[in-house]
């Protein structure tokens, strides 16, 4: 069906009397009701045994239920169904059923025929054919109509029995489903109960975690304060270390300067003592006297004089029995 049309199912009082019509999607509910009532009237005219009726516009139902009669039918979701009802007869308050109306009409006709049959013998003397033959014709017509109604109702009863059987099966299946649903619901209750217990435990654990976190936050705040204090102390220590390092550098420079001077003095004293001792081993009074003597007897500069002195000392150390083992080792190293 095109998108600019809507399929509307019109029901007349009973589910069997229905008509499907296609209406413009731009129709309002009010306009759709009018079109639906006209369509069902034309449909009822062609059905046998359904008397002519006047529809009651105030008893027309529309599904899905709209906000008001000005609603556009294209805005309604799902299938659209309209139910119309006839106006009740004068003096009645209930809307009649079409099948009941048809049956009542046949009953009234049968009663009229029986009444005519009762008065027919009294009038036979005047005109026998005038009353009997039409009555026979009417009886045949009514009998055929009644038989047709019986066949129709028999067919409807068979359908109802079949539907009833199917409904019995459906109900049995629904009962089984209901039992299964009850079992599932009980199982779900147990699961929900377990989940509720778990939820309560989780809430307890969460509360405990909140307390732990609160304690950790307090500790963290204290640690931040301690850290700030340590940073401040560290800065002071760095400053103090820098000052001490400067003072230590000055002290080291002073000490190193004195140590070099002392080392030079010690080296000079030891050198003089060693040279004098070596001069005495070589048979001289001291180093200066030995050097002056060699300077007189040796030609050349100071280096030549020192070479002559070392040569003499080497010979003396190798041959001396009075020299200590240290001096002997010095002579051998040379």
């Amino acid at each position: 069906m095109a998108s600019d049309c809507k399929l509307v199912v019109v029901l007349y009082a009973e589910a069997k009397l229905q008509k499907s019509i296609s209406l413009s999607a731009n129709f309002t509910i009010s306009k759709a009701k009018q079109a639906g009532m006209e369509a069902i009237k034309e449909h009822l005219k062609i059905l046998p045994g359904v008397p002519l009726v006047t529809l009651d516009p105030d008893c027309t139902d529309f599904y899905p239920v709209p906000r008001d009669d000005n609603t556009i039918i294209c805005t309604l979701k799902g299938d659209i169904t309209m139910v119309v009802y006839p106006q009740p007869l004068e003096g009645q308050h209930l809307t009649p059923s079409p099948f009941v109306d048809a049956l009542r009409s046949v009953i009234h006709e049968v009663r009229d025929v029986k009444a005519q049959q009762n008065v027919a013998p009294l009038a036979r003397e005047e005109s026998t054919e005038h009353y009997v033959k039409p009555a026979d014709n009417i009886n045949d017509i009514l009998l055929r109509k009644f038989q047709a109604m019986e066949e129709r109702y028999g067919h409807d009863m068979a359908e109802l029995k079949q539907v009833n059987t199917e409904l019995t099966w459906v109900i049995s299946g629904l009962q089984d489903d209901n039992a299964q649903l009850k079992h599932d619901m009980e199982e779900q209750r147990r699961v929900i109960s377990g989940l509720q217990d778990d939820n309560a435990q989780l809430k307890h654990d969460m509360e405990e975690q909140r307390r732990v976190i609160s304690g950790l936050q307090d500790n963290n705040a204290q640690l931040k304060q301690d850290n700030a204090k340590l940073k401040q102390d560290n800065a002071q220590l760095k400053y103090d270390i820098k000052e001490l390092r400067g003072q230590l550098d000055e002290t080291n420079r002073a000490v190193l300067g004195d140590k070099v001077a002392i080392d030079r003095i010690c080296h000079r004293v030891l050198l003089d003592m060693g040279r004098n001792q070596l001069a005495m081993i070589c048979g001289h009074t001291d180093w200066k006297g030995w050097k002056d003597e060699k300077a007189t007897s040796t030609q050349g500069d100071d280096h030549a004089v020192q070479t002559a002195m070392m040569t003499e000392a080497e010979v003396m150390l190798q041959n001396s029995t009075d020299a200590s083992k240290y001096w002997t080792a010095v002579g051998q190293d040379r």
Side-chain angles (χ1 to χ4, degrees), residues 38-93:
E38 292 298 327
I40 201 67
K41 282 182 182 179
E42 296 298 325
H43 178 62
L44 294 176
K45 286 180 181 179
I46 63 176
L47 295 178
V50 178
L52 297 177
V53 294
T54 302
L55 299 180
D56 188 352
D58 295 332
C59 293
T60 302
D61 297 327
F62 215 90
Y63 304 97
V65 179
R67 292 192 305 272
D68 51 51
D69 284 354
N70 294 324
T71 302
I72 306 299
I73 63 174
C74 65
T75 61
L76 300 178
K77 297 181 179 180
D79 298 331
I80 299 178
T81 303
M82 184 170 64
V83 183
V84 296
Y85 299 92
Q87 287 183 340
L89 300 176
E90 185 177 356
Q92 294 183 357
H93 299 286

Side-chain angles (χ1 to χ4, degrees), residues 39-324:
I40 201 67
K41 282 182 182 179
E42 296 298 325
H43 178 62
L44 294 176
K45 286 180 181 179
I46 63 176
L47 295 178
V50 178
L52 297 177
V53 294
T54 302
L55 299 180
D56 188 352
D58 295 332
C59 293
T60 302
D61 297 327
F62 215 90
Y63 304 97
V65 179
R67 292 192 305 272
D68 51 51
D69 284 354
N70 294 324
T71 302
I72 306 299
I73 63 174
C74 65
T75 61
L76 300 178
K77 297 181 179 180
D79 298 331
I80 299 178
T81 303
M82 184 170 64
V83 183
V84 296
Y85 299 92
Q87 287 183 340
L89 300 176
E90 185 177 356
Q92 294 183 357
H93 299 286
L94 299 177
T95 300
S97 170
F99 287 135
V100 174
D101 290 344
L103 183 58
R104 286 178 179 174
S105 176
V106 172
I107 292 173
H108 286 305
E109 290 178 0
V110 172
R111 288 177 179 175
D112 292 340
V113 170
K114 287 183 177 180
Q116 290 179 8
Q117 288 177 346
N118 291 332
V119 299
L122 299 177
R124 282 179 184 176
E125 293 179 357
E126 297 178 0
S127 179
T128 305
E129 294 181 358
H130 180 72
Y131 293 101
V132 175
K133 192 171 183 179
D136 291 339
N137 292 335
I138 292 174
N139 285 337
D140 292 339
I141 294 172
L142 292 177
L143 182 59
R144 287 194 298 272
K145 185 181 290 187
F146 192 74
Q147 288 175 349
M149 292 293 292
E150 283 183 340
E151 290 178 359
R152 185 187 304 171
Y153 284 119
H155 179 70
D156 292 341
M157 287 296 294
E159 289 184 354
L160 288 174
K161 287 181 180 179
Q162 182 178 358
V163 171
N164 187 37
T165 302
E166 294 176 355
L167 287 175
T168 302
W169 294 341
V170 171
I171 290 171
S172 177
L174 290 175
Q175 288 174 343
D176 294 339
D177 294 341
N178 188 33
Q180 182 63 37
L181 286 174
K182 287 182 178 179
H183 178 269
D184 295 341
M185 287 177 64
E186 188 63 29
E187 184 66 25
Q188 290 298 322
R189 287 193 185 98
R190 288 194 292 270
V191 172
I192 291 171
S193 177
L195 291 175
Q196 288 174 342
D197 294 339
D198 294 341
N199 188 32
Q201 183 63 38
L202 286 174
K203 287 182 178 178
H204 178 269
D205 295 342
M206 287 177 63
E207 189 63 29
E208 185 65 25
Q209 290 298 322
R210 287 193 185 97
R211 288 194 292 269
V212 172
I213 290 172
S214 177
L216 291 175
Q217 288 174 343
D218 294 339
N219 293 336
N220 188 33
Q222 184 62 40
L223 288 173
K224 286 182 179 179
Q225 294 178 358
D226 296 342
N227 188 34
K229 185 67 170 59
L230 288 173
K231 286 182 178 179
Q232 184 178 359
D233 295 343
N234 189 33
Q236 184 63 38
L237 287 173
K238 286 182 178 179
Y239 177 78
D240 295 342
I241 290 172
K242 184 178 180 181
E243 290 292 324
L244 290 173
R245 186 172 292 169
Q247 295 176 5
L248 183 61
D249 289 342
E250 291 181 1
T251 303
N252 286 335
R253 285 194 295 271
V255 170
L256 288 175
D258 294 341
K259 186 175 185 300
V260 170
I262 292 171
D263 288 344
R264 287 179 179 177
I265 293 171
C266 292
H267 182 268
R268 185 67 183 178
V269 170
L270 292 174
L271 180 61
D272 290 344
M273 291 176 63
R275 288 189 297 187
N276 289 332
Q277 189 175 6
L278 180 60
M280 292 176 65
I281 292 173
C282 293
H284 302 282
T285 304
D286 54 22
W287 176 265
K288 187 176 182 305
W290 187 21
K291 184 177 181 181
D292 291 341
E293 181 181 346
K294 281 295 181 183
T296 303
S297 60
T298 303
Q299 295 181 354
D301 54 8
D302 289 342
H303 180 69
V305 174
Q306 290 179 359
T307 301
M309 292 174 68
M310 292 298 103
T311 301
E312 182 182 351
E314 182 179 354
V315 173
M316 292 297 295
L317 290 173
Q318 290 177 355
N319 298 323
S320 176
T321 58
D322 297 332
S324 66

